[in-house]
Amino acid sequence: MSIGHALLGLLEAGPRHGYDLKRAFDERFGQDRPLHYGQVYSTMSRLLKNGLVEVDGVESGGGPERKRYAITDAGITDVERWLARPEKPEPYLQSTLYTKVVLALLTGRSAAELLDGQRAEHLRLMRILTDRKRGGDLAHQLICDHALFHLEADLRWLELTAARLDQLASEVRA
């Protein structure tokens, strides 16, 4: 995910302080991986340097000065370009899981046990996501569905690989 573009998009609603941007990001996108404050401020510094945001005001209080950031016209154009550009599909041709299966076969370990353990872990995470989906709003349900669909695809691959394990073993050991 482009943190910079997400923060720019959030600024289109109006100027915000770094703290407010972090909170808005975490509410919308960071349920499992909230942003660190340092990441927000380093990103804002880069966006400022690149002319995509400007300082809309500075407030002094009991602590350090608080800058309020606003998106510039160049920032709006950058977000528009980013939104219009399709994301590159990830083909997963260098899968860690595939590598583990092949190495298990090459080293005489049980690839079937590895696949069973991975299947159990996928199902465990699917149950968690399904529970989270039930209690969430539409946006949260959609992100959970996205993750669940990927996990379902992985499960199909696990089943296919388990069914072809003997053939794969003979090919990788040849």
Side-chain angles (χ1 to χ4, degrees), residues 17-150:
H17 296 95
Y19 174 83
D20 298 327
L21 283 168
K22 180 204 175 337
R23 194 177 74 237
F25 180 94
D26 289 350
E27 285 174 7
R28 296 282 182 197
F29 314 114
Q31 292 89 357
D32 290 326
R33 256 195 267 160
L35 284 180
H36 296 285
Y37 285 105
Q39 191 173 13
V40 172
Y41 292 110
S42 64
T43 301
M44 295 312 296
S45 177
R46 181 178 45 79
L47 295 173
L48 186 63
K49 183 178 128 190
N50 292 335
L52 302 176
V53 298
E54 61 190 8
V55 175
D56 186 56
V58 178
E59 297 174 7
S60 299
E65 291 183 336
R66 292 178 28 147
K67 294 179 185 173
R68 188 175 54 246
Y69 298 95
I71 191 168
T72 62
D73 289 341
I76 292 170
T77 300
D78 195 57
V79 171
E80 286 173 354
R81 284 190 197 127
W82 179 69
L83 290 173
R85 186 176 59 242
E87 289 296 311
K88 180 182 174 190
E90 297 292 332
Y92 302 107
L93 293 177
Q94 291 298 322
S95 166
T96 302
L97 187 51
Y98 171 77
T99 302
K100 284 183 168 188
V101 169
V102 170
L103 287 175
L105 293 171
L106 287 173
T107 60
R109 292 179 174 91
S110 174
E113 286 180 20
L114 185 151
L115 291 170
D116 288 343
Q118 192 63 51
R119 185 181 305 106
E121 184 60 19
H122 271 63
L123 292 171
R124 183 191 68 77
L125 182 54
M126 290 175 82
R127 283 189 294 277
I128 291 169
L129 289 169
T130 301
D131 287 344
R132 284 178 56 181
K133 183 178 150 178
R134 284 188 196 112
D137 60 10
L138 180 59
H140 194 74
Q141 291 172 16
L142 289 171
I143 196 66
C144 287
D145 280 338
H146 185 264
L148 285 164
F149 293 153
H150 281 273

